Amino acid sequence: MLEVRDISHFYGKEKILDNISFKLPRGSFTILTGESGSGKTTLLSIVSTLLLQSEGTIIFHNTPKCSIDTMRNRHIGFIFQFHYLIEHLTVMENIKMVTKKSKREILKLLATLDIDTLAHRYPSQISGGQRQRVAIARAIVNEPKYLFADEPTGNLDSKNSKIIFDILRSIKATTLVVTHDSSLILEDDRILTMRDGQLIKG
Ligand SMILES: Nc1ncnc2c1ncn2[C@@H]1O[C@H](COP(=O)(O)OP(=O)(O)O)[C@@H](O)[C@H]1O
Ligand SMILES: [Mg+2]
């Protein structure tokens, strides 16, 4: 379980996040939504250890005690709106770079995302939706306990966006995904909604 307790954040004197608390059950999938400027990226950055909060605590329960750097490197996967793949490396090489796993194991993972036939292509030779699936593969190849994604479908059409969200729902990690696109939310999804730096009910 991941527990967020009384998080507030300031940029200068401006309060951007106001006393936010929630829990993510182990292995759950949760969508963080809300209007542009409501504080989603700031909150996700804090929860995922990329940004240090002004106030409050993040508790990673049942995770071996380790430094925040080890936590970030070993237990957390990240996906961003832009894929950040390395253009002069193939799909396989982009993933091989971040893992000790064998090429065979990587191909197996790529197959689950339906992109195994693209292993030897370069990012410029595949579609936007495929690139984002490669970014997902890279984020989950080391089997992180936690997965965080900020507007991962921001550059994709609605069909590819739905595919990406179905993939994210199927991942075993405790997953928190930011989107402002309510058409991607399903009835059974856990949802956190932000407004003006606060979590609102419903
Ligand atoms: N590095 C920063 N410095 C100052 N203000 C920022 C910074 N990042 C974001 N903000 C402000 O914080 C508020 C929340 O931004 P953000 O977390 O990016 O929201 P969202 O992801 O929901 O669009 C906005 O008003 C934004 O202008
Ligand atoms: Mg944002």
Side-chain angles (χ1 to χ4, degrees):
M1 185 172 84
L2 190 162
E3 187 174 355
V4 171
R5 215 185 268 170
D6 304 328
I7 292 288
S8 293
H9 195 70
F10 296 81
Y11 286 124
K13 282 191 179 149
E14 199 180 347
K15 196 172 204 177
I16 299 297
L17 298 180
D18 185 9
N19 205 38
I20 291 186
S21 301
F22 60 86
K23 292 175 185 173
L24 302 179
R26 187 171 162 189
S28 60
F29 171 85
T30 306
I31 291 180
L32 176 61
T33 191
E35 284 174 14
S36 179
S38 58
K40 304 183 296 299
T41 293
T42 304
L43 180 58
L44 192 84
S45 302
I46 289 170
V47 175
S48 65
T49 75
L50 295 175
L51 176 69
L52 188 63
Q53 67 272 22
S54 307
E55 294 169 5
T57 329
I58 315 282
I59 306 165
F60 294 94
H61 291 278
N62 300 321
T63 303
K65 271 233 174 321
C66 59
S67 71
I68 203 155
D69 291 331
T70 306
M71 184 71 212
R72 191 184 303 118
N73 292 334
R74 210 180 284 165
H75 298 298
I76 298 181
F78 301 96
I79 302 161
F80 303 96
Q81 176 167 354
F82 183 70
H83 53 76
Y84 297 112
L85 299 174
I86 297 172
E87 295 291 340
H88 68 273
L89 298 181
T90 64
V91 166
M92 174 60 77
E93 288 163 349
N94 262 283
I95 297 177
K96 194 82 193 80
M97 240 191 97
V98 303
T99 188
K100 293 193 176 98
K101 296 216 163 153
S102 68
K103 287 191 176 173
R104 219 178 118 212
E105 286 173 294
I106 295 172
L107 274 176
K108 229 167 110 183
L109 171 63
L110 293 179
T112 67
L113 300 170
D114 205 19
I115 48 173
D116 49 322
T117 57
L118 308 176
H120 300 296
R121 297 219 201 156
Y122 291 89
S124 62
Q125 297 172 324
I126 61 180
S127 73
Q130 291 165 337
R131 280 195 285 268
Q132 204 52 307
R133 275 182 269 170
V134 178
I136 292 176
R138 184 183 51 186
I140 65 174
V141 65
N142 294 322
E143 294 160 46
K145 284 183 160 46
Y146 304 93
L147 181 65
F148 298 102
D150 193 0
E151 307 273 4
T153 60
N155 293 320
L156 302 180
D157 58 46
S158 66
K159 184 173 161 233
N160 275 295
S161 298
K162 288 196 169 72
I163 293 171
I164 295 294
F165 266 68
D166 284 341
I167 291 169
L168 293 172
R169 283 187 187 92
S170 73
I171 289 169
K172 278 195 201 123
T174 303
T175 302
L176 182 62
V177 182
V178 168
T179 185
H180 67 270
D181 183 353
S182 53
S183 74
L184 293 169
I185 299 172
L186 301 182
E187 208 170 309
D188 288 344
D189 288 337
R190 295 169 49 85
I191 305 169
L192 298 169
T193 307
M194 293 193 71
R195 186 183 294 157
D196 297 336
Q198 297 186 321
L199 277 187
I200 58 173
K201 300 260 184 277

